[in-house]
Amino acid sequence: MKVRDLLNAMLIGSNNDTAKALAGYISQKTNTKFVDLMNESANSLSMSSSRYNNPIGFDSNTNYSSVEDMAILVQALLPSNVFDQTSKKSSYSFESKDGKPFTTSATNKLIDKYPDLFAIKTGFTNTALGSMVNLVKHNDKTYL
């Protein structure tokens, strides 16, 4: 699989298996546990209310983040344009290197209803029940 396809599937469809695959790939390439890289990045961004112990966001006493820290993270990622290709898509399809097709559907049901909305990421766990980060651009202002 291509990294771009895994990233798109993770952001658009909130696919846990692609998040795990990306984490494994990056860990292999860097010879560092992905969660260690996540925590290093959180610390460097001064995300003081975040601590990660898995790359998926599964519930855990040692895996947490705050709304404020998610805002810091999104603001740090916006200049990279990482969300430009994913924020308005309601589905994504791709093929593995051996030609096996994959399709994922957006978990953010607001995309098609609000043209000013740019989806960033959704998530669901039994404890959180649901979460989402969106940008809304309205009247020359951007709201996160």
Side-chain angles (χ1 to χ4, degrees):
M1 308 253 174
K2 294 178 183 174
V3 170
R4 177 185 67 234
D5 291 331
L6 294 174
L7 180 64
N8 285 337
M10 181 187 70
L11 290 174
I12 295 166
S14 199
N15 295 106
N16 292 335
D17 52 347
T18 58
K20 285 176 63 174
L22 278 170
Y25 173 76
I26 293 169
S27 292
Q28 183 181 19
K29 288 290 186 187
T30 62
N31 202 29
T32 305
K33 289 182 180 179
F34 188 73
V35 293
D36 290 344
L37 295 171
M38 291 173 70
N39 286 313
E40 286 173 22
S41 293
N43 287 335
S44 73
L45 292 170
S46 298
M47 294 170 55
S48 59
S49 297
S50 295
R51 176 78 182 136
Y52 304 107
N53 77 352
N54 67 73
I56 301 171
F58 281 164
D59 292 329
S60 164
N61 290 337
T62 56
N63 195 78
Y64 54 87
S65 192
S66 68
V67 171
E68 292 83 4
D69 282 0
M70 288 294 96
I72 291 169
L73 179 60
V74 170
Q75 292 293 338
L77 290 171
L78 284 176
S80 71
N81 301 317
V82 69
F83 306 114
D84 288 359
Q85 299 298 311
T86 61
S87 65
K88 300 300 269 177
K89 292 197 177 205
S90 56
S91 66
Y92 186 73
S93 298
F94 61 101
E95 289 184 358
S96 65
K97 286 184 180 181
D98 63 0
K100 183 177 178 184
F102 292 90
T103 299
T104 188
S105 296
T107 53
N108 190 333
K109 303 303 179 200
L110 301 176
I111 295 170
D112 295 329
K113 294 180 181 179
Y114 299 98
D116 294 343
L117 182 128
F118 297 85
I120 303 295
K121 183 73 176 78
T122 62
F124 182 90
T125 66
N126 290 332
T127 300
L129 298 179
S131 62
M132 64 171 43
V133 178
N134 295 305
L135 280 176
V136 175
K137 294 182 181 183
H138 185 69
N139 292 336
D140 297 325
K141 292 188 179 183
T142 301
Y143 303 92
L144 178 64

